[in-house]
Amino acid sequence: MATKIRLQRGGRKGYAVYRIVVADVRAPRDGKFIEKLGMYNPNTNPATVDLNFDRALYWVGVGAQPSDTVRSILKREGVYLMKHLMGGVSKGAFDEATCQKKFDDWKANKEKSFEAIREGEVKAKKQAIAKNLEEEKKVNEAIAKKVADKKAAEAAEKAAEEAEAVAEEVQEQTVEAETPVAEPEAPAAEEATEAPAEA
């Protein structure tokens, strides 16, 4: 029976999460499998892999063929490097302690690069938040300036109206003060003209 190491899709629509499984080549993608080796989540940066390293090394050692994506995952996790180093131990090139030390050094180096990627992403998110905050502050300042200008214009308009009303009142008072009051001499003249008519 030909075996294959491949991905089995899970998760929801738009958020795929995969199981890494060993299955018969004739089995459907999401169908029956022989053994589950781990999980692969490509939605994070870097992608999250939870792998049973020893079982993956065993299946690669006995000849199970991985799919292209699984091969890159296994290389990233160091399964193929360990297989290569174990080949060197079996040929007598170096002992198991040296093999394990080489693998640990490689793994530590890989973890540093992953940590740098994570830190870079966190830093980029913080910078994006700070940039958005600065833009929002600028927009708020522009709005506050517009509101202040509008209030100042309204206050100036109101002050101008009040000054105009005061000026009109002063003008009316001066006009009233300048207007002469009429003297009551006209009725006496009428009496004088009526008196000769009676005689």
Side-chain angles (χ1 to χ4, degrees), residues 12-58:
R12 64 176 187 271
K13 182 179 179 182
Y15 192 89
V17 179
Y18 299 92
R19 293 184 199 93
I20 302 169
V21 297
V22 179
D24 185 0
V25 291
R26 296 166 292 185
R29 182 194 70 178
D30 297 337
K32 188 176 177 183
F33 57 89
I34 299 166
E35 185 179 349
K36 179 182 168 188
L37 298 179
M39 294 292 290
Y40 168 64
N41 183 359
N43 301 299
T44 59
N45 185 20
T48 307
V49 178
D50 178 26
L51 183 70
N52 184 340
F53 188 85
D54 295 331
R55 293 304 295 166
L57 185 62
Y58 164 77

Side-chain angles (χ1 to χ4, degrees), residues 68-96:
D68 294 337
T69 307
V70 173
R71 182 179 288 110
S72 66
I73 291 169
L74 295 178
K75 282 182 181 176
R76 176 188 142 171
E77 292 299 306
V79 173
Y80 277 97
L81 176 66
M82 183 56 97
K83 180 184 176 195
H84 174 71
L85 292 172
M86 293 302 283
V89 170
S90 65
K91 290 177 182 174
F94 43 80
D95 60 351
E96 282 191 28

Side-chain angles (χ1 to χ4, degrees), residues 145-155:
K145 188 179 178 190
K146 281 184 181 178
V147 169
D149 290 346
K150 188 175 181 182
K151 285 184 179 178
E154 286 175 0

Side-chain angles (χ1 to χ4, degrees), residues 129-192:
I129 289 168
K131 185 180 177 185
N132 289 343
L133 187 62
E134 284 297 319
E135 289 175 1
E136 196 172 323
K137 281 182 181 177
K138 286 179 184 176
V139 169
N140 289 344
E141 285 173 5
I143 290 170
K145 188 179 178 190
K146 281 184 181 178
V147 169
D149 290 346
K150 188 175 181 182
K151 285 184 179 178
E154 286 175 0
E157 193 176 310
K158 192 173 183 183
E161 287 175 4
E162 288 175 1
E164 197 175 300
V166 169
E168 285 177 7
E169 276 184 39
V170 169
Q171 191 176 12
E172 286 174 8
Q173 289 174 359
T174 54
V175 168
E176 287 175 6
E178 290 175 359
T179 306
V181 180
E183 295 179 11
E185 292 178 8
E190 287 176 10
E191 287 175 11

